[in-house]
Amino acid sequence: MRGMGLPEETAARVSRLWGKSAARNGGRTHLLLGHLLDTAAVAEVMWERYLSAALRRRLEEVSRGRGRLWFMWICGIHDCGKACPAFQALDDVEAAPVRAAGLGWGRLPTDRRQRWRHDVAGAALLRPRLVAEWGSSESAAWVWPLVAGHHGTFPSVQGLKPKHREVQGRGAAWDEAQRAVVDVFTRAVGFADLADARPAGALNRAEQLGLSGLIVMADWIASDSEQFEGIADARKVSLASARQRAEAAWQRLGLRGGWNELAVPEGQLAPLTGRLGVSPRASQQELVERAWSMPVPGLMVAEAPMGEGKTKAALAAAEVLAARFGLDGVFVAMPTQATSDPMYEQVLEWVRTFDPELEAQVALLHGKRRFNPTWREIWESKRKGSGGEFGLGEESVALDPFDAYGAIEEDSEYGMSSWPSAGTCVPQEVRDGPARWFLGNKRGLLTAFAVGTVDHLLHAATRTRHVMLRFAGLVGKVVVVDEVHAADVYMRQFLLEALRWLGQAKVPVVLLSATLPPAQRQACVDAYLSGALSAADAVCPVPEPAGYPCVTVAWALDGTPVAESSREVVPSWRASTSTRIDWLPDVALDGKLLASTVKEEVADGGVALVVVNQVDRAQAIHRALREVGFEGQVQLLHGRLCAAHRAERTEACLRLLGPEAKKERPGRMVVIATQLAEQSFDVDADLLITDLAPVDLLLQRIGRLHRHSGTRRPSAFGEPRVLVTGVVAGERGRPLFLSASKQIYGEWALLRAATLVAEAAGPLSGGTRQKDGWSIPADVPGLVARAYGEAELCPPGWGEAAAREAWRAKEQQREKNAEEFLLTRQREWAAPTLEGLHYAGVRAVSEDDLDAVVRDGKRSVEAVIVRRSPGGYRAIDGTWIGVHGEVDDETVIGRLLGGTVRLPPRLTEAVEAEGTGLVPLPGWVGHPWLRYAPALVLEEDGTAVLGQDRVSYDDVLGLVVQRG
């Protein structure tokens, strides 16, 4: 500061400004300039070790070739607003020397709603200077929101005016100190002055959102008091020391990026033949060749039959896209937790072929990952401390919603409690495993390679706090979305919103589906191109594909949209097979007819898969099957199983019926499942019995039938056969459906599905078939197109027109419901900056709320089942957990959390209506994760009363609900 010629008085004042209080920073005050330089130094390490080549190139373009320097500056300048009375007064001890140096203030407002936040204060003091010294209001306009939004929300420009002048700082002393903070930091980083930091261009809004998330990431790392101890003496603050601290912290935390400029494959099909070791099928070859042909990052839509190998083709295409366009990793989005686990194993195997050490950079993103044995092996056994063990509940600490990493929420007005991180785990001196930092709340997508539920992608398209952190985890990756058809009209609004942002951010996206209606394909293409063109309503008609399988690609080059589909017929890897379809009329809730049918069908051996539309029906069929004395293996899979049982059964089904089963395949077996078995469930059944569902989902279920080549089957199952149930004939043959099916899918889609099934199976009431079964996969695109087409399909008297109108009205309402949570309003899509992005505040406050938002579901909660026992409590497996539920052993915690189950929304509503809700056990209060886990206490008779219902847990049936 003296070298810059600052007046001694101003330098002394700046030297007193604090950025981290001793009370929240491990007992040591950290000066504001020290934190700014720490953050800049972390950003420099991120530039070298974490940012994708594509993003580095963009930052180089907008900074006249000084991308690294400019990234350091924008990350470090984020907290300049702490140089104001509203922040400096937050801690009386820290405020005393600031006031003594001549930076005073009068009375500040105490009303939380009127408090002045330092992120907004930073934008307020920086914006006029940027306009004046950059000589460009356009340049300033996209930069100041990056500062204003670093605590999770982006205000409007009107929000930069405080109601009370005192909070921002009044008088020459404050003006000089605030200018000095900006100038000293800017010169210390390496710019000649603030004018020298002016960008030569602008990032688009999606790129700005990704950059904003990276600023938050740098800030959070630099705010970790365990890695960056406080420095209260300004003479010891320097960029050189900050660089040493940042490098050491990066190493200790074990952070890293992914491929780091992946080499271009030597041959077009090498990613398939060499890395994945497959003999390319025509559809796989088509997808990979299209990835080579796109001139710029774009959207790819691969449509191919179930079992065609779409996922491996997508991974191969991802390698091509990453190498060509400078991406650093991949996110694979799956429809459910159950489908994420096997995909995680597949992606792990693929990533290891690049570098075995990269396995530690593959994250599994869903709430039950601790029950995946591979994930535990990689993410827990390798995270040993110097003492040989990792600390109690280490993952739990990192997942604490108040964030275990330092004082990132210094400001009390954010309503966040401090969380003492010291002593929570054994420090790691040597890292050979993944960084637990990535396990933290909202950070999972920042891992180089990630597999998880599609919700993580959809969350990045919601107007929620810290959405930029989620989006930053997508920028710089290739995004693969499997089973994209599984998104209903409500979820699709968030998917389309995500595609707009990804298109603008130049993120390549690969969508996979076996049964995608043409209108959905077109909507996805238009959304991505709207982003790529920064236009609100881009429309680029997709040519009709030559056949099925097919690949559609779309991109924008020089402002011109392009959409292409496969021009020649792409043969499927196996010839179409005639699949016999028959009715099994039944809507009884006792499951007896289905149980007796299953027993009879597999009396001489075979594997039957029974897929029904509600948990109670699945449980009833299982009970009935036991009552009729079925001899053979039985597995029951549904959403009301506790985490441990669901994981065990899913693994068993894949082991016994998966592609590698061979001799392990049972001679006689029945799998009874709900929609969990509908997609990405790689099992092979000899016979399918299924409740009626919309045609695309029915075809997905059929995809589990005769799925693998070379499977030995009893002679009775030489031909694939489907029995469609969950429906009976009513008056004049009009179908009567299960009430649960109507509630889930709506009557219109079921009526049209029944019509198409009747063509192959004959009328429900008996009659002649129009065709002898369905030819799979040849008939798939035609069936889906007809099911969702505009033409009347059902017989007269079925009331199709009225059902369609009711369906349309409901769909339109659901679209409207989604709009209030979308990240941006459509009419504002072409806005150039992030200013005012959170225009209506933050709607979803918790992860449970957010999950309900993107799936249009009623809110449901997860609870940990415990059993009351004489003198205390036991976990679901009988493990003793103490008088008050206290646990101090990681193994016991694992068994305890294995009893986690998601309550049906009706039970959640009943519990919340009572006003008390489910609460953690008294012994969990001090545990960093269990303290937030509600306990469902089953009394000594094995039941609990929730609202009007009595619930129990059966180790085979799962959570059983007896209606009140």
Side-chain angles (χ1 to χ4, degrees):
M1 287 189 283
R2 291 192 179 106
M4 289 176 58
L6 279 185
E8 197 69 26
E9 191 175 34
T10 301
R13 288 168 177 164
V14 172
S15 298
R16 297 292 186 272
L17 294 172
W18 61 276
K20 301 290 178 184
S21 66
R24 295 187 174 224
N25 196 57
R28 295 175 64 110
T29 302
H30 195 27
L31 295 179
L32 176 57
L33 280 175
H35 176 59
L36 301 189
L37 289 172
D38 284 343
T39 310
V42 170
E44 184 174 37
V45 179
M46 289 170 60
W47 175 273
E48 300 292 342
R49 318 269 185 86
Y50 184 80
L51 267 62
S52 68
L55 183 55
R56 291 200 303 268
R57 284 197 295 267
R58 282 294 290 134
L59 290 173
E60 294 279 13
E61 289 172 7
V62 301
S63 64
R64 297 190 296 269
R66 296 185 293 177
R68 178 182 59 81
L69 193 60
W70 198 84
F71 183 62
M72 293 172 64
W73 179 81
I74 192 61
C75 287
I77 202 66
H78 76 286
D79 259 355
C80 65
K82 288 185 174 180
C84 75
F87 181 85
Q88 295 297 311
L90 285 174
D91 186 292
D92 291 340
V93 174
E94 307 292 355
V98 177
R99 303 192 78 154
L103 291 174
W105 50 83
R107 185 174 181 179
L108 301 175
T110 57
D111 187 341
R112 292 177 61 85
R113 292 169 296 181
Q114 296 184 12
R115 288 184 181 177
W116 189 232
R117 296 169 31 159
H118 76 260
D119 48 358
V120 179
L125 74 87
L126 197 59
R127 179 172 172 264
R129 288 201 60 187
L130 297 183
V131 173
E133 298 183 42
W134 286 359
S136 168
S137 57
E138 290 79 10
S139 295
W142 73 269
V143 172
W144 72 256
L146 300 176
V147 174
H150 80 264
H151 271 292
T153 59
F154 297 99
S156 65
V157 69
Q158 289 78 18
L160 303 188
K161 298 176 181 177
K163 293 182 180 179
H164 300 272
R165 181 69 181 89
E166 200 72 29
V167 295
Q168 183 73 356
R170 186 192 300 272
W174 273 110
D175 288 342
E176 291 171 5
Q178 289 169 348
R179 289 185 65 87
V181 167
V182 173
D183 292 340
V184 170
F185 168 74
T186 300
R187 288 185 60 174
V189 167
F191 285 112
D193 51 31
L194 188 58
D196 191 32
R198 174 189 171 183
L203 299 177
N204 64 45
R205 191 162 67 148
E207 293 168 334
Q208 294 168 31
L209 189 65
L211 175 58
S212 176
L214 294 171
I215 294 170
V216 174
M217 178 179 174
D219 180 26
W220 284 15
I221 294 172
S223 295
D224 182 355
S225 61
E226 291 184 359
Q227 309 299 333
F228 294 84
E229 65 178 18
I231 300 176
D233 185 345
R235 292 170 297 184
K236 296 181 180 179
V237 172
S238 70
L239 180 60
S241 66
R243 279 172 164 154
Q244 292 176 350
R245 287 150 60 91
E247 178 65 34
W250 191 266
Q251 293 293 335
R252 282 194 297 267
L253 291 172
L255 300 170
R256 63 160 290 173
W259 283 311
N260 189 23
E261 300 198 44
L262 183 63
V264 175
E266 293 183 358
Q268 272 209 338
L269 297 181
L272 276 171
T273 58
R275 191 170 308 286
L276 290 167
V278 301
S279 298
R281 297 166 180 168
S283 61
Q284 294 174 320
Q285 184 171 333
E286 172 82 354
L287 185 64
V288 173
E289 288 178 349
R290 285 285 182 167
W292 281 105
S293 69
M294 288 197 300
V296 292
L299 174 71
M300 308 185 76
V301 184
E303 299 170 62
M306 297 70 73
E308 183 79 12
K310 294 185 292 292
T311 305
K312 287 190 175 181
L315 294 179
E319 178 182 353
V320 174
L321 295 168
R324 293 186 61 219
F325 301 124
L327 289 315
D328 198 48
V330 171
F331 172 53
V332 181
M334 303 299 295
T336 63
Q337 293 181 358
T339 57
S340 297
D341 279 4
M343 183 56 62
Y344 170 65
E345 304 280 353
Q346 189 169 339
V347 171
L348 259 180
E349 184 178 347
W350 175 65
V351 166
R352 289 185 186 114
T353 65
F354 295 95
D355 181 350
E357 292 186 5
L358 283 177
E359 74 166 16
Q361 311 308 318
V362 185
L364 177 59
L365 305 182
H366 67 66
K368 306 297 188 302
R369 62 188 175 194
R370 69 179 295 125
F371 303 105
N372 181 293
T374 306
W375 188 88
R376 285 186 68 94
E377 170 67 21
I378 294 173
W379 282 79
E380 293 189 358
S381 68
K382 291 187 177 181
R383 295 189 291 113
K384 304 288 185 180
S386 57
E389 295 294 334
F390 48 84
L392 175 63
E394 188 172 320
E395 176 190 355
S396 306
V397 172
L399 286 170
D400 185 87
F402 296 127
D403 206 286
Y405 283 91
I408 64 168
E409 299 292 356
E410 181 70 49
D411 299 6
S412 59
E413 68 258 34
Y414 291 121
M416 303 291 277
S417 304
S418 62
W419 185 256
S421 57
T424 54
C425 62
V426 179
Q428 289 178 284
E429 301 299 330
V430 179
R431 299 300 307 247
D432 65 346
R436 70 185 177 100
W437 192 91
F438 289 124
L439 298 179
N441 197 23
K442 306 173 185 176
R443 304 178 199 165
L445 284 175
L446 293 168
T447 317
F449 305 95
V451 179
T453 55
V454 71
D455 303 58
H456 291 272
L457 174 63
L458 306 184
H459 291 172
T462 55
R463 193 175 63 259
T464 48
R465 193 173 179 207
H466 289 124
V467 65
M468 72 287 288
L469 200 64
R470 303 180 194 275
F471 194 73
L474 299 173
V475 174
K477 286 185 174 68
V478 179
V479 174
V480 178
V481 186
D482 200 5
E483 311 283 8
V484 69
H485 57 271
D488 63 16
V489 67
Y490 182 91
M491 290 175 64
R492 204 176 307 137
Q493 305 313 304
F494 295 96
L495 175 62
L496 297 178
E497 179 75 352
L499 289 175
R500 293 185 195 103
W501 284 87
L502 294 172
Q504 190 175 53
K506 301 178 180 64
V507 173
V509 178
V510 185
L511 305 180
L512 307 177
S513 177
T515 55
L516 189 65
Q520 287 190 37
R521 180 201 307 139
Q522 183 67 59
C524 291
V525 167
D526 289 342
Y528 189 90
L529 290 176
S530 291
L533 296 168
S534 296
D537 52 1
V539 176
C540 187
V542 177
E544 185 68 26
Y548 177 78
C550 65
V551 175
T552 299
V553 292
W555 67 82
L557 185 60
D558 299 328
T560 301
V562 176
E564 299 176 351
S565 286
S566 299
R567 304 182 193 90
E568 299 178 359
V569 175
V570 179
S572 178
W573 73 280
R574 61 180 177 184
S576 289
T577 303
S578 178
T579 300
R580 183 178 175 85
I581 314 291
D582 291 304
W583 290 113
L584 179 60
D586 176 56
V587 291
L589 299 180
D590 58 15
K592 291 182 178 179
L593 176 61
L594 269 64
S596 61
T597 301
V598 168
K599 181 182 178 183
E600 181 180 341
E601 289 286 347
V602 297
D604 296 325
V607 175
L609 172 63
V610 182
V611 183
V612 294
N613 295 340
Q614 61 183 134
V615 175
D616 291 347
R617 185 163 161 85
Q619 291 173 329
I621 294 168
H622 192 281
R623 286 194 197 98
L625 200 58
R626 287 189 298 191
E627 290 172 1
V628 298
F630 176 76
E631 295 181 0
Q633 292 198 38
V634 182
Q635 289 285 359
L636 177 63
L637 267 176
H638 58 72
R640 279 194 234 151
L641 294 172
C642 71
H645 292 161
R646 182 165 161 177
E648 290 166 3
R649 295 183 196 180
T650 300
E651 189 277 330
C653 288
L654 294 173
R655 185 184 76 253
L656 297 172
L657 304 177
E660 305 300 323
K662 297 182 175 62
K663 293 183 179 179
E664 282 196 81
R665 185 179 177 88
R668 184 185 294 108
M669 182 175 181
V670 178
V671 178
I672 305 166
T674 56
Q675 293 90 334
L676 295 180
E678 195 168 82
Q679 50 214 357
S680 297
F681 188 54
D682 196 6
V683 299
D684 184 339
D686 299 320
L687 170 72
L688 173 67
I689 301 176
T690 173
D691 278 348
L692 185 70
V695 162
D696 53 332
L697 305 182
L698 203 57
L699 289 166
Q700 286 292 328
R701 297 176 187 185
I702 293 174
R704 315 307 123 194
L705 187 61
H706 287 226
R707 183 179 178 90
H708 304 140
S709 59
T711 300
R712 292 186 177 182
R713 309 181 196 281
S715 57
F717 299 111
E719 177 189 33
R721 191 155 61 93
V722 181
L723 300 179
V724 179
T725 187
V727 59
V728 294
E731 187 177 349
R732 289 186 295 177
R734 190 181 193 275
L736 299 177
F737 309 112
L738 286 164
S739 59
S741 299
K742 287 175 62 175
Q743 183 177 357
I744 297 168
Y745 302 118
E747 190 174 31
W748 178 72
L750 293 174
L751 286 172
R752 290 173 76 88
T755 301
L756 293 172
V757 170
E759 292 178 358
L764 255 172
S765 54
T768 307
R769 304 167 181 260
Q770 294 182 30
K771 56 185 295 187
D772 188 18
W774 287 342
S775 181
I776 305 294
D779 287 348
V780 169
L783 287 168
V784 173
R786 291 178 65 199
Y788 291 97
E790 294 295 323
E792 292 283 328
L793 196 63
C794 302
W798 281 22
E800 179 182 4
R804 181 196 290 268
E805 287 308 308
W807 173 78
R808 280 181 172 162
K810 185 176 180 180
E811 297 290 274
Q812 289 170 0
Q813 184 60 50
R814 295 180 73 202
E815 287 186 23
K816 185 176 180 181
N817 292 344
E819 285 180 7
E820 62 179 304
F821 295 102
L822 294 177
L823 186 49
T824 188
R825 290 176 285 201
Q826 186 176 13
R827 63 180 178 273
E828 296 178 358
W829 175 246
T833 77
L834 296 170
E835 186 250 325
L837 185 67
H838 290 84
Y839 58 90
V842 176
R843 301 299 305 274
V845 296
S846 72
E847 291 297 305
D848 280 339
D849 289 337
L850 194 51
D851 288 340
V853 162
V854 298
R855 289 186 179 265
D856 194 23
K858 295 180 179 178
R859 186 173 179 272
S860 64
V861 300
E862 288 189 325
V864 179
I865 298 175
V866 295
R867 303 183 188 276
R868 196 184 298 277
S869 184
Y873 299 93
R874 295 186 182 275
I876 195 170
D877 67 347
T879 302
W880 175 253
I881 56 171
V883 176
H884 303 292
E886 52 271 88
V887 287
D888 57 2
D889 178 83
E890 181 70 15
T891 301
V892 175
I893 292 172
R895 292 175 179 173
L896 177 62
L897 292 179
T900 303
V901 67
R902 183 167 291 279
L903 300 180
R906 195 165 81 95
L907 294 185
T908 299
E909 292 173 0
V911 168
E912 293 179 343
E914 292 177 351
T916 55
L918 300 177
V919 297
L921 293 181
W924 298 355
V925 172
H927 191 278
W929 179 241
L930 294 176
R931 65 186 300 188
Y932 303 109
L936 173 57
V937 180
L938 301 181
E939 301 300 333
E940 292 186 45
D941 67 354
T943 70
V945 175
L946 298 180
Q948 301 298 312
D949 300 324
R950 183 173 294 275
V951 300
S952 58
Y953 191 88
D954 184 280
D955 286 344
V956 175
L957 297 177
L959 190 72
V960 178
V961 181
Q962 293 177 289
R963 309 294 181 186

